[in-house]
Amino acid sequence: MWRAEVDWGGANMFAAGCVDGDVLATVNISAAGEDKLFSGKHQHNKGVTHARFHFHNPVKIYFGKGQACHIAQEVERVEGAVLVVYGGGSIKRNGAYDDVMAALAGTGRKSSSCRRYAEPAIGQALEGVRLVKEHGVGLILAVGGGSVIDCAKFISLGSGIGDDEDLWDDYIETGKPAPEGLIPVGVVLTTAATGSEMGDAAVLTNWERNRKLGYTSFPADAQGSPCWIQAT
């Protein structure tokens, strides 16, 4: 993990590397991985730090209210059905679910839903994988916060591994890099918390083995295209 903090003209601006799933959010440029995602120079002048940097993150962001209108144009970029992954039901109370389903209905694409309870678990991910294969899904759309997004990432991973491979034993436990060409994951973010929408990390629970593990070996484009962030 790398992290860079800059005091710019008295205002703190903190950049945390998306390599570990943190969001852009505020003092020394430490640099393992700096050459990959962040490159910059800083100098002190009368107590003020001036910085120049280049930041790359392959996540397309639509920010602000009403951004669900972009779902239709992004869905047109992929083929197949859309799998909507959501959580405990708040998206139905705050209107996000209706906005998303209306946008999908306008595309004429077939859609299916996969509900995630409490926190992402292996059983829920495997249920999502089954739906992906059953309905010919070409886009996984997570509507919610970090747990929903993590579950969607693992559904994407589980749908792209070999038939003779096991999602938990062969990938989660070992950290084996994910194969290329996974089904893309889109996000309608309804709460800002974990930063999962901006990075390549996710966490999954296996209740039968009493284990909860993180996974950070998703390919750069697996969850990066497309992504929507909608303020609610």
Side-chain angles (χ1 to χ4, degrees), residues 138-156:
L139 172 68
I140 301 169
L141 181 57
V143 186
S147 293
V148 172
I149 301 167
D150 284 4
C151 190
K153 290 180 181 179
F154 285 115
I155 293 173
S156 175

Side-chain angles (χ1 to χ4, degrees), residues 83 85 119-130 132 140 142 146-161 167-168 171-173 175-176 178 182-183 185 196 200-205 212-218 222-223:
L83 177 66
V85 183
E119 61 181 81
I122 183 67
Q124 297 158 0
L126 294 177
E127 170 62 13
V129 171
R130 182 188 67 79
V132 166
I140 301 169
S147 293
V148 172
I149 301 167
D150 284 4
C151 190
K153 290 180 181 179
F154 285 115
I155 293 173
S156 175
L157 174 59
S159 302
I161 65 178
L167 175 59
W168 186 269
Y171 286 86
I172 312 304
E173 283 280 4
K176 178 181 178 180
L182 296 182
I183 295 173
V185 175
S196 185
D200 66 350
V203 176
L204 193 67
T205 298
K212 182 175 183 178
L213 298 175
Y215 185 79
T216 59
S217 298
F218 294 100
Q223 70 284 349

Side-chain angles (χ1 to χ4, degrees), residues 35-229:
D35 58 331
K36 295 182 180 178
L37 291 176
F38 181 102
S39 60
K41 298 179 179 179
H42 64 107
Q43 62 185 27
H44 294 280
N45 182 17
K46 296 182 180 179
V48 177
T49 299
H50 301 277
R52 300 193 308 272
F53 65 86
H54 170 78
F55 180 82
H56 171 73
N57 187 331
V59 178
K60 181 187 294 184
I61 300 171
Y62 295 105
F63 183 83
K65 291 186 177 182
Q67 296 304 313
C69 64
H70 293 285
I71 291 177
Q73 70 186 60
E74 293 294 347
V75 167
E76 295 298 332
R77 300 175 186 272
V78 301
E79 297 182 357
V82 178
L83 177 66
V84 180
V85 183
Y86 64 98
S90 63
I91 66 167
K92 293 188 176 180
R93 295 190 297 272
N94 63 27
Y97 181 84
D98 291 338
D99 289 346
V100 169
M101 299 310 292
L104 291 177
T107 68
R109 297 293 185 91
K110 177 182 176 183
S111 64
S112 181
S113 297
C114 178
R115 186 171 180 181
R116 187 250 357 132
Y117 297 92
E119 61 181 81
I122 183 67
Q124 297 158 0
L126 294 177
E127 170 62 13
V129 171
R130 182 188 67 79
L131 291 172
V132 166
K133 295 180 178 180
E134 179 179 321
H135 297 285
V137 169
L139 172 68
I140 301 169
L141 181 57
V143 186
S147 293
V148 172
I149 301 167
D150 284 4
C151 190
K153 290 180 181 179
F154 285 115
I155 293 173
S156 175
L157 174 59
S159 302
I161 65 178
D163 293 336
D164 59 342
E165 294 182 300
D166 183 85
L167 175 59
W168 186 269
D169 291 335
D170 294 327
Y171 286 86
I172 312 304
E173 283 280 4
T174 66
K176 178 181 178 180
E180 297 292 333
L182 296 182
I183 295 173
V185 175
V187 176
V188 175
L189 186 67
T190 60
T191 180
T194 68
S196 185
E197 71 283 354
M198 292 289 287
D200 66 350
V203 176
L204 193 67
T205 298
N206 187 322
W207 292 111
E208 291 184 357
R209 301 188 186 183
N210 198 29
R211 288 175 66 75
K212 182 175 183 178
L213 298 175
Y215 185 79
T216 59
S217 298
F218 294 100
D221 63 348
Q223 70 284 349
S225 176
C227 176
W228 307 279
I229 297 183

